[in-house]
């Protein structure tokens, strides 16, 4: 019997199969990676192109933005070094943080990290999910900087959030009363979403300039709109629970057949979820590679040939990303071991 | 006679001849007291502290913890029961000593069940929080140095570099306040409540906490230490209860027993033995169980805690039966 799905959880104090032989309380999780799960379905209220499990190239940008924002925060703010981002196979991404210290974090600390990274709050009933007030924390400021790079192309052109009166009413619902009427009057005069956004943004920036000289209160509605439409939405239960299981990288997604491949952060903007190999396409490639290979290395043993075959399939670049990630960790661990043995004088 | 020797002691303390055992009115209660006290003092200290903790509990329920009425009422109670409160070191020695000893006595009594432990922990935390916040900034600084809490203050240069970030991330701070107050570099696990609400600037896995927010972190630290200490107290207490049985029934020398115990247990045990001895009745019928006590010590020493616990349970059962 072969497994068709592999989920990874925590390292325990005893073998899990023997958990009944040890009395309650002694069987504890010892360490587990910090994981994040970002799912496209959580964005349904702000997507116009797809809904629930569907994704398209237009809304995939949300994942790109999410990865960039969270990764920046993990590295610069939380000081994490070893992160692996993985495409989940259908409609989202996972992140595995494997730093030694982080693996030992308590559930409370993990929950705190997720809360730090959460800006969009509220369920279906809440209209305005992001509320900013002065002073604005540097984390929020930097996240807005990331969103700004993608906002025009994704939201104004792709999703066209200010394209029609129904759409811009939804956006204007997030703007405070005192500015809403004026904007509602001016919007029809403009040609497209881009121009209307310029109007809204300009107005908000004026309030902030005035506030810095002491005249009136600053309004951050333009930032709030950008964040509500683009900021990542994390599932706290996935990250908090030390007993939670998450799909292993390189496993096959049962519904789409796609492989959960690691993402290359250097080429994140060019990633296309529809170009990810499926199990059937891999099988075809392997068969083709096997037929060619037979002529060359007929002297080799079966397993050796099988191991090298993946390099001839489209899985190769993804495996390279994974290997680079592992090499980084290995290097760091070797450095630590050297340091420790130096301290102990153990040669 | 007694009076003059007391005065002489106080004099030498003022002159700095002896090392002052209580340099601060507040402490983490990490070292148990090593002196012997009379049974009367033992009882009165314990009762007074219990009264104080009960007042803390009642006030905590009926008032908001930082309100003025809470503070004045608690202050009155401190004065009445003669616990250390806003006095200079020279005058406060008796109150601080009482504080120290009474904490350890109550620790013994309240380590015995989960509910008791939780109650004791909660009241001691509230007490500590109140006393820490009543300290002046200078005294707070000195106390932190004394307990060696590894919070390094960031240098002026770093502070100027991060001034803008610190100003926007710490609520209630103007630029001038950022420039004057001390900021400390704290690990993320110590500053959980602050960074989860984004009320502090974090960078590279460290939080930059202003002095005014340090109390939450210190409190957390105190809670962890006390929680661990209570768990240890329980083990010690049961073990030493057994030891007392041996002592009283088999006339073994205290020195021999001490050989079996590691150093840290020893300092704790001396205090407990000296005072507990009064409280355990001699029961000669336990002589037949002496041999099993030796096993207990050996098991404990070699780390077989489960077996030790089982043995202790049996022995205590027998003790009550006889």
């Amino acid at each position: 019997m072969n497994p068709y799905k592999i989920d990874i959880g925590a390292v325990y104090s005893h073998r899990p199969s023997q958990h009944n032989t040890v009395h309650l309380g002694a069987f504890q999780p010892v360490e587990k990676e910090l994981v994040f799960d970002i799912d496209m379905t959580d964005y349904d209220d702000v997507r116009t192109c797809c809904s629930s499990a569907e994704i398209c190239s237009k809304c995939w940008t949300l994942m790109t933005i999410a990865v960039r924002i969270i990764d920046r925060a993990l590295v610069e703010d939380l000081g994490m070094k070893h992160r692996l981002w993985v495409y989940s196979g259908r409609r989202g991404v996972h992140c595995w943080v494997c730093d030694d210290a982080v693996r030992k974090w308590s559930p409370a600390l993990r929950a705190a990290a997720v809360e730090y990274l959460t800006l969009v709050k509220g369920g279906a009933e809440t209209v305005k999910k992001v509320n900013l007030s002065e002073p604005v924390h540097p984390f929020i400021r930097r996240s807005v900087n990331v969103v700004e790079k993608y906002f025009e192309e994704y939201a104004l052109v792709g999703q066209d959030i200010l394209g029609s009166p129904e759409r811009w009413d939804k956006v204007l619902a997030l703007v405070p009363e005192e500015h809403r009427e004026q904007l509602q009057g001016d919007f029809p005069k403009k040609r497209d979403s881009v121009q209307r956004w310029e109007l809204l943004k300009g107005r908000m920036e004026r309030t902030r300039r005035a506030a810095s000289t002491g005249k009136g209160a600053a309004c951050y509605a333009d930032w709030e709109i950008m964040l509500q439409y683009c900021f990542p939405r994390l599932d706290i239960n996935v990250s908090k629970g030390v007993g939670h299981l998450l799909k292993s990288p390189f496993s096959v997604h049962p519904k789409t057949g796609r492989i959960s491949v690691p993402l290359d952060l250097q080429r994140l903007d060019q990633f296309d979820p529809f170009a990810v190999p499926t199990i059937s396409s891999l099988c075809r490639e392997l068969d083709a590679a096997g037929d060619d290979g037979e002529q060359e290395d007929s002297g080799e043993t079966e397993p050796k040939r099988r191991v090298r075959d993946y390099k001839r399939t489209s899985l190769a670049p993804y495996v390279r990303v994974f290997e680079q990630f592992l090499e980084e960790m290995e290097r760091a661990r070797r450095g630590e071991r050297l340091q420790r043995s130096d301290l102990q004088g153990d040669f | 006679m007694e009076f003059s020797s007391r005065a002489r002691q106080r004099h030498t303390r003022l002159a700095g001849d002896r090392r002052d055992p209580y340099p601060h009115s507040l402490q983490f209660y990490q070292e148990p007291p090593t002196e012997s006290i009379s049974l009367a003092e033992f009882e009165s200290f314990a009762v007074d502290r219990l009264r104080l903790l009960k007042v803390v509990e009642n006030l905590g329920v009926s008032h908001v913890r930082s309100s003025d009425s809470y503070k004045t009422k608690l202050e009155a109670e401190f004065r009445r029961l003669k616990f250390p409160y806003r006095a200079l070191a020279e005058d406060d020695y008796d109150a601080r000593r009482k504080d120290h000893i009474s904490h350890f006595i109550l620790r013994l009594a309240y380590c015995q069940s989960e509910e008791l432990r939780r109650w004791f922990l909660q009241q001691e935390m509230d007490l500590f929080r109140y006393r820490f916040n009543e300290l002046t900034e200078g005294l707070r600084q000195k106390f932190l140095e004394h307990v060696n809490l590894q919070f390094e203050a960031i240098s002026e240069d770093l502070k100027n570099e991060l001034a803008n970030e610190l100003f926007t991330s710490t609520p209630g701070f103007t630029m001038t306040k950022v420039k004057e107050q001390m900021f400390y570099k704290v690990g993320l696990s110590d500053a959980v409540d602050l960074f989860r609400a984004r009320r502090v600037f974090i960078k590279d896995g460290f939080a930059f906490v202003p002095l005014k927010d340090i109390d939450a972190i210190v409190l957390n630290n105190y809670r962890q230490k006390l929680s661990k200490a209570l768990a240890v107290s329980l083990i010690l207490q049961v073990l030493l209860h057994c030891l007392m049985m041996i002592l009283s029934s088999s006339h073994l020398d205290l020195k021999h027993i001490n050989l079996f115990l590691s150093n840290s247990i020893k300092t704790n045990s001396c205090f407990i033995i000296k005072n507990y001895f009064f409280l355990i009745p001699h029961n000669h019928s336990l002589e037949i169980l002496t041999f099993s006590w030796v096993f207990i010590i050996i098991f404990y020493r070699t780390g077989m805690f489960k077996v030790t616990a089982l043995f202790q349970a049996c022995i205590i059962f027998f003790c009550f039966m006889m």
Side-chain angles (χ1 to χ4, degrees):
Chain A
M1 222 172 65
N2 290 320
Y4 67 88
K5 190 162 171 268
I6 300 181
D7 285 349
I8 298 185
V11 175
Y12 286 87
S13 50
H14 306 81
R15 289 172 143 246
S17 53
Q18 297 175 348
H19 80 275
N20 285 317
T21 64
V22 190
H23 74 79
L24 244 58
F27 183 73
Q28 296 288 344
V30 170
E31 50 178 7
K32 181 181 184 293
E33 294 88 353
L34 176 61
V35 291
F36 296 102
D37 181 1
I38 308 177
D39 209 337
M40 202 68 99
T41 39
D42 295 334
Y43 291 83
D44 279 352
D45 56 324
V46 292
R47 284 198 288 169
T48 54
C49 51
C50 316
S51 69
S52 75
E54 308 156 355
I55 58 165
C56 67
S57 49
K58 280 200 280 183
C59 47
W60 185 255
T61 323
L62 282 173
M63 289 294 120
T64 314
I65 298 175
V67 172
R68 289 230 185 271
I69 291 180
I70 306 269
D71 204 59
R72 184 213 69 80
L74 290 179
V75 174
E76 292 177 13
D77 296 352
L78 296 169
M80 299 176 181
K81 297 192 189 61
H82 308 293
R83 306 108 35 224
L84 182 71
W85 286 91
V86 179
Y87 168 54
S88 77
R90 184 156 66 139
R91 60 184 185 199
V93 290
H94 300 154
C95 177
W96 296 79
V97 180
C98 310
D99 292 35
D100 272 330
V102 178
R103 288 211 296 264
K104 304 193 168 72
W105 276 13
S106 66
L109 202 38
R110 289 164 203 250
V114 175
E115 278 180 50
Y116 176 78
L117 297 169
T118 303
L119 276 179
V120 181
K121 295 183 188 139
E125 339 71 56
T126 332
V127 175
K128 186 151 187 219
K129 300 195 167 104
V130 183
N131 289 288
L132 302 177
S133 53
E134 293 230 291
V136 177
H137 195 276
F139 166 73
I140 300 177
R141 205 177 289 265
R142 294 195 188 135
S143 305
V144 170
N145 288 341
V146 176
V147 175
E148 269 178 340
K149 293 198 201 102
Y150 295 88
F151 191 69
E152 185 174 317
E153 200 202 304
Y154 163 71
L156 301 174
V157 176
Q159 298 284 319
D160 202 21
I161 59 172
L162 298 173
S164 67
E166 306 86 55
R167 289 194 182 176
W168 75 58
D169 276 342
K170 271 170 89 181
V171 175
L172 286 178
L174 310 177
V175 176
E177 295 271 352
E178 61 261 29
H179 302 284
R180 207 180 297 166
E181 261 202 56
Q182 179 85 41
L183 290 166
Q184 228 146 18
D186 290 339
F187 269 10
K189 300 182 201 153
K190 300 289 176 178
R191 275 188 298 127
D192 58 20
S193 287
V194 179
Q195 287 190 346
R196 288 178 201 125
W197 179 252
E198 284 306 309
L199 199 59
L200 200 159
K201 188 164 105 162
R203 204 183 167 86
M204 296 302 136
E205 282 177 342
R206 272 198 300 276
T207 67
R208 291 200 284 274
R209 269 197 298 271
S212 62
T213 56
K215 296 191 213 104
C219 186
Y220 287 93
D222 54 334
W223 286 17
E224 288 165 343
I225 293 169
M226 283 200 281
L227 293 172
Q228 179 150 339
Y229 275 80
C230 303
F231 192 82
R233 300 164 184 212
L234 301 171
D235 184 352
I236 189 167
N237 294 312
V238 172
S239 313
K240 180 164 72 168
V242 195
H244 194 101
L245 300 175
L246 194 63
K247 178 134 60 69
S248 161
F250 293 108
S251 54
V252 183
H253 194 287
K255 299 213 177 82
T256 61
R258 294 202 190 276
I259 313 286
S260 294
V261 290
L263 302 175
D264 186 357
L265 289 178
Q266 319 285 10
R267 282 192 274 264
L268 189 61
D269 292 326
Q270 291 88 36
F271 179 78
D272 179 10
F274 298 102
V276 171
T278 63
I279 186 73
S280 29
S281 73
L282 275 183
C283 287
R284 274 192 301 255
E285 288 176 15
L286 275 174
D287 289 335
D291 293 333
D292 299 334
E294 253 173 58
Q295 276 91 36
E296 298 173 22
D297 7 60
S298 45
E300 270 188 27
T301 53
E302 255 292 320
K304 221 177 176 182
R305 204 189 320 142
R306 221 183 290 144
V307 161
R308 291 192 331 160
D309 276 346
Y310 80 81
K311 291 196 179 149
R312 299 179 223 215
T313 65
S314 39
L315 207 55
Y318 302 108
V319 179
R320 273 236 19 255
V321 173
F322 187 58
E323 282 175 346
Q324 274 170 350
F325 166 73
L326 292 179
E327 273 168 28
E328 260 304 316
M329 284 197 70
E330 169 99 38
R331 214 176 303 148
R333 186 164 286 196
R334 215 178 300 143
E336 248 173 70
R337 217 180 289 151
L338 274 173
Q339 252 186 352
R340 224 180 298 148
S341 72
D342 283 345
L343 281 171
Q344 293 174 348
D346 180 28
F347 301 112
Chain B
M1 272 286 101
E2 234 182 341
F3 185 70
S4 61
S5 75
R6 254 284 168 87
R8 207 187 317 132
Q9 276 187 338
R10 210 171 276 161
H11 178 75
T12 52
R13 233 174 286 120
L14 278 177
D17 268 26
R18 258 184 26 211
R19 196 178 66 101
D20 192 353
Y22 301 120
H24 297 275
S25 64
L26 201 56
Q27 56 166 304
F28 270 172
Y29 310 104
Q30 295 195 273
E31 288 300 315
T34 50
E35 50 184 296
S36 21
I37 60 173
S38 70
L39 199 54
E41 248 192 334
F42 185 94
E43 189 185 347
S44 82
F45 281 4
V47 166
D48 280 350
R49 195 182 189 89
L50 191 55
R51 209 170 279 158
L52 180 66
L53 290 186
K54 287 230 184 279
V55 167
V56 167
E57 183 186 19
N58 292 334
L59 286 181
V61 166
S62 55
H63 293 74
V64 175
R65 282 199 182 88
S66 46
S67 69
D68 288 322
S69 53
Y70 179 86
K71 287 189 198 170
T72 41
K73 289 203 177 135
L74 200 45
E75 177 183 333
E77 202 62 33
F78 264 83
R79 273 202 237 277
R80 201 166 65 84
L81 297 168
K82 299 200 186 50
F83 276 99
Y85 180 74
R86 282 205 185 157
L88 299 169
E90 303 92 75
D91 307 324
D92 216 21
Y93 178 76
D94 291 327
R96 291 179 192 184
R97 174 177 168 267
K98 176 173 177 175
D99 174 46
H100 184 205
I101 295 177
S102 58
H103 172 93
F104 272 87
I105 299 172
L106 285 194
R107 210 195 264 193
L108 262 182
Y110 279 86
C111 65
Q112 303 193 35
S113 81
E114 181 60 42
E115 216 178 290
L116 291 175
R117 278 200 291 273
R118 211 178 308 146
W119 184 87
F120 184 68
L121 198 62
Q122 179 64 42
Q123 309 321 320
E124 283 286 336
M125 291 267 299
D126 284 347
L127 188 62
F128 187 92
R129 187 189 296 126
Y130 166 72
R131 290 166 70 185
F132 187 76
N133 286 329
E134 287 295 302
L135 289 176
T136 63
E137 274 204 26
L139 285 175
R140 238 182 276 178
Q141 186 84 329
K142 281 211 197 119
F143 173 65
L144 288 178
E145 282 169 21
H146 176 72
V147 292
N148 241 349
L149 274 179
Q150 253 87 9
F151 302 146
E152 40 171 292
I154 61 177
S155 64
E156 275 304 307
D157 298 329
L158 187 57
K159 189 147 60 117
N160 287 330
E161 211 184 294
L162 299 173
N164 207 25
E165 260 86 350
L166 293 173
F167 159 57
T168 49
S169 33
T170 329
F173 266 63
T174 58
M175 269 307 245
T176 35
K177 217 167 166 196
V178 168
K179 297 225 154 71
E180 334 171 307
Q181 257 214 11
M182 288 275 252
F183 274 81
Y184 294 84
K185 192 171 168 185
V186 174
L188 279 183
S189 42
D190 287 322
V192 184
D193 291 321
L194 285 174
F195 96 83
R196 74 137 57 98
R198 273 189 300 263
R199 288 181 39 226
V200 71
F201 176 61
I202 69 175
K203 185 171 175 322
D204 289 332
F206 287 99
F208 293 87
V209 185
L211 183 63
K212 80 165 178 63
D213 283 330
I214 278 282
D215 63 347
I217 297 175
V218 175
L219 213 67
N220 210 15
N221 205 284
Y222 177 56
R223 181 207 275 119
Q224 286 171 1
K225 288 190 159 83
L226 189 53
S227 191
K228 210 180 286 182
L230 281 172
V232 173
S233 273
L234 180 60
I235 299 178
L236 278 175
Q237 193 190 41
V238 181
L239 177 70
L240 288 156
H241 194 110
C242 309
L243 268 177
M244 289 318 301
M245 302 295 191
I246 306 181
L247 269 183
S248 56
S249 59
S250 69
H251 317 292
L252 275 173
D253 197 343
L254 190 59
K255 253 193 291 207
H256 295 160
I257 306 294
N258 274 341
L259 281 175
F260 285 98
L261 301 173
S262 62
N263 240 351
S264 60
I265 299 178
K266 204 196 319 185
T267 39
N268 268 303
S269 69
C270 289
F271 166 68
I272 296 175
I273 286 174
K274 280 177 185 154
N275 295 293
Y276 226 47
F277 195 70
F278 293 113
L279 307 173
I280 300 179
H282 287 235
N283 190 344
H284 295 287
S285 60
L286 289 173
E287 274 171 340
I288 58 172
L289 295 170
T290 308
F291 199 56
S292 42
W293 294 120
V294 176
F295 272 116
I296 289 184
I297 295 177
I298 296 171
F299 288 149
Y300 190 82
R301 189 77 168 86
T302 54
M304 293 164 63
F305 292 102
K306 281 189 210 142
V307 183
T308 319
L310 191 60
F311 242 98
Q312 285 167 350
C314 295
I315 301 302
I316 291 171
F317 175 76
F318 279 121
C319 294
F320 281 114
M321 291 300 279
M322 290 189 172

